[in-house]
Amino acid sequence: MFRRSFVSALVGAGTLAAIRTPALAADHKPVVGLVMKSLANEFFKDMQEGAVQHAKERGDFTLIPVGIQSETDIDGQIAAVENLVTRHVDAIVIAPADSRALLPPIARAIKSGIKVINIDVAFDPASMKKRGVDIAFVGPDNRDGARLSADVLAAKLGRGGKVVILEGNPGAENGVQRRLGFMDSINANGLKLLDSRTAHWETEEANSVFANMLTAHPDIQGVMAANDSMALGVVKAIDASGRSGKIQVVSFDNIPAIRPLLENGKVLATVDQFGAQLAAMGVDNALKEVQGQTLTGWIKTPVKLIKGRDAG
């Protein structure tokens, strides 16, 4: 049974901070490195906080959490993995910023004897096969979750509704899957897609990208943002344009900052993927591997649709 906790605190690119827990195990306590994406994103702050709490509750392993400076800081993640290998940790739990670029250092970690569990963003299967590694993925069905969120927008707009998509990182598998989920809903519900562009998960970039979309397509009626951080930037642009209440927004993650916007009607819906629990689940599975089990495939975690005041 997985314990349910969550974690998040700002650590610079490649900077590691050991979290020591009371010595409840007699001999060696396994050391687990948790490599996350940008800790400027509340989702990963919560993930880190949850993992730290989980380490305290279990008391039988040492946690080293690390985050990067931005969602596109791939070099920072690579440096973090290499640092953990140098420190001879027992296991690494990683939410890769890129589903392919992080595989070379991770493959080297596995070759050195370190156990690896993949969370949040799945590694690319073809790239894993090419490098001869099979890494278990602990994470949600991003495509299905995005479809659930988009279906709320479709119900609000009706057939023919004009929408745009704000995509995540092109190299991140969860971004790819969320766009596919949005497209599933667009096609099933007869919506009209006007534009689809990446904003790399970032709030300020989303604000700029959507402002440009709005200029190019003043008839936009709805927005599907692949995460809540981008939805925040979209709402800011909508407010600045004087069209608050006229353009509907749905997103994904259920971070604390999105909840007031659900309550005041500026966001129709989001999807909770229980990020705080995700790292804890990843750690628990990594420790199973350290203890001799071999895990493979997709260990699916839940998603839950969260509707706002005006979702109906």
Side-chain angles (χ1 to χ4, degrees):
M1 187 72 179
F2 294 121
R3 293 173 182 265
R4 300 188 173 250
S5 321
F6 217 145
V7 168
S8 218
L10 183 59
V11 184
T15 303
L16 304 180
I19 307 295
R20 301 281 177 184
T21 55
L24 300 182
D27 300 310
H28 169 73
K29 289 200 296 183
V31 178
V32 179
L34 172 62
V35 181
M36 296 161 289
K37 295 195 289 181
S38 173
L39 293 172
N41 183 331
E42 287 188 53
F43 178 80
F44 292 102
K45 287 183 183 179
D46 285 349
M47 180 178 285
Q48 181 172 300
E49 289 167 4
V52 171
Q53 182 61 33
H54 189 61
K56 291 178 180 178
E57 290 172 359
R58 280 195 55 144
D60 60 352
F61 70 97
T62 296
L63 180 69
I64 302 175
V66 56
I68 52 178
Q69 292 179 336
S70 72
E71 296 284 357
T72 56
D73 185 16
I74 295 169
D75 288 342
Q77 274 203 329
I78 291 172
V81 171
E82 290 173 344
N83 193 315
L84 290 168
V85 172
T86 300
R87 295 178 69 162
H88 305 292
V89 298
D90 297 283
I92 293 174
V93 176
I94 182 169
D98 188 284
S99 298
R100 296 172 182 84
L102 267 295
L103 268 173
I106 283 295
R108 290 193 292 272
I110 292 171
K111 188 175 181 179
S112 74
I114 295 172
K115 305 300 183 182
V116 176
I117 291 291
N118 176 201
I119 63 170
D120 184 50
V121 182
F123 281 120
D124 177 61
S127 298
M128 283 199 291
K129 184 176 181 180
K130 180 180 178 180
R131 295 195 172 273
V133 295
D134 184 5
I135 305 167
F137 174 61
V138 178
D141 188 331
N142 284 283
R143 183 170 183 166
D144 185 57
R147 179 191 58 78
L148 290 173
S149 186
D151 281 350
V152 176
L153 179 61
K156 186 76 171 180
L157 298 182
R159 299 188 72 83
K162 299 175 181 178
V163 302
V164 297
I165 296 174
L166 271 290
E167 305 171 25
N169 282 355
E173 184 62 18
N174 62 339
V176 172
Q177 291 300 313
R178 290 179 195 180
R179 188 185 188 282
L180 288 172
F182 290 153
M183 290 305 304
D184 289 342
S185 182
I186 288 169
N187 293 330
N189 293 291
L191 299 178
K192 182 178 180 180
L193 180 64
L194 300 178
D195 203 351
S196 182
R197 305 184 202 176
T198 182
H200 299 98
W201 307 119
E202 302 282 3
T203 300
E204 291 308 314
E205 185 174 352
N207 178 259
S208 175
V209 168
F210 181 70
N212 291 334
M213 284 181 166
L214 197 53
T215 298
H217 306 282
D219 52 347
I220 292 172
Q221 296 173 287
V223 185
M224 301 174 183
N227 77 344
D228 287 344
S229 291
M230 292 190 296
L232 296 176
V234 168
V235 169
K236 182 179 177 182
I238 291 171
D239 288 346
S241 73
R243 300 188 63 186
S244 181
K246 298 178 182 178
I247 299 176
Q248 307 297 328
V249 181
V250 296
S251 60
F252 201 114
D253 276 348
N254 196 31
I255 63 174
I258 208 71
R259 293 167 197 164
L261 302 183
L262 291 164
E263 293 170 4
N264 66 21
K266 291 187 177 184
V267 172
L268 276 181
T270 188
V271 173
D272 198 337
Q273 59 170 322
F274 306 100
Q277 303 166 21
L278 196 54
M281 293 178 186
V283 167
D284 286 344
N285 281 283
L287 292 172
K288 288 179 181 179
E289 288 221 334
V290 170
Q291 293 161 4
Q293 294 187 40
T294 300
L295 303 177
T296 188
W298 184 5
I299 301 167
K300 191 176 289 191
T301 59
V303 294
K304 180 181 179 181
L305 178 66
I306 308 295
K307 291 185 177 182
R309 183 194 71 186
D310 295 341

